[in-house]
Every structure is written in structure tokens, then in C-alpha cells.
Amino acid sequence: MSASNTSEEASGPVQGGGDSVDWMRLRSPQRDQDRVLQSPTHVWLRRIPSAIHPKHLCRYYPRIANRLAMAWGDKTEVEEIFEDLLQDRRGQRKGFSERVRVEIERLQRFHQRKLHVNYPPLMVVRRRLPPGLDGNG
């Protein structure tokens, strides 16, 4: 969760009537900027192939698209976002429509492939030894 979470969110789930958790109270309040795609999100969309543009996600869940766009360069954070979106840890979650779910899964696969293609393998760094210590003389 982000640093902007309320103290109520940080303290854990709020128990409603019985043993159920009131997840709606835990969700960060929606702000005006969560209702529209932000400029960095438009830039992000221009950088990914148009074939995988998450059109329905952007239209119906701009807050999530903005969150993905802002985190896109951070492998760990993006993986956590995908896991949060695709795994139901709350129980009895309504879930996304089929179209949105497919778009999210497509983005996840693209992100995983992108990491393998664009990130260079670890390079072996060879230290140069001073003359006389390198065994050549």
C-alpha cells in the first residue's frame, strides 16, 4: 500500500458485522485525478504496443491504469499490482469483467516478456590487477 494510506488502513482490516471485513472502508478515497487518465499514463500507452492497449481498463478503471503506468519501471511493484488485481484475497470479490481481466493478463504477460528482453544479463566485472600481480611478469 502507498504512503497515502489512512491510519485505519495501516492498522488492518476493519471488522464489520460478524466476521466479515469492510473492504470498502479500507479503500483509499477516490480523488479527482483517479477518475481520468493522467499525462504519464498517456505517455505509457504510447510506449506499449497498440495491440495490448488496455482500452476497457482505461475507460472503466482509470485509477488502476494510472497506478500501473506510474509503477511500470519498477518490476517488483508492477508484479505486486498484477497479483493484487488478479488474486482474490478478500473473498467473494466481484472481480473484473472478462474483457478487463483479459487486458490485465495481457499486460502482465507483456511486462514479464519485456523484462526478459530489455534488461541485460548480469555482467561479469573483471578487476584489473596492478602490473606484476597479474601473473604476467
Side-chain angles (χ1 to χ4, degrees), residues 13-42:
V14 177
Q15 296 294 326
D19 291 333
S20 65
V21 175
D22 186 0
W23 290 102
M24 291 302 289
R25 289 187 58 203
L26 292 178
R27 182 178 291 161
S28 299
Q30 194 170 40
R31 304 167 299 187
D32 287 339
Q33 64 261 31
D34 293 332
R35 293 181 176 97
V36 296
L37 294 178
Q38 300 298 301
S39 294
T41 306
H42 288 284

Side-chain angles (χ1 to χ4, degrees), residues 44 48 52 54 57 68 72 75-87 100-116:
W44 170 68
I48 62 175
I52 65 163
L57 178 73
L68 276 169
W72 196 251
K75 176 186 177 220
T76 304
E77 187 173 354
V78 172
E79 288 174 357
E80 288 174 5
I81 292 170
F82 283 131
E83 185 177 327
D84 287 345
L85 294 174
L86 297 171
Q87 301 294 321
V100 172
R101 187 184 56 74
V102 166
E103 288 179 346
I104 293 170
E105 289 172 348
R106 192 177 302 140
L107 280 170
Q108 182 182 35
R109 284 191 305 271
F110 173 74
H111 188 264
Q112 289 169 341
R113 281 194 308 264
K114 174 182 133 331
L115 292 178
H116 295 297

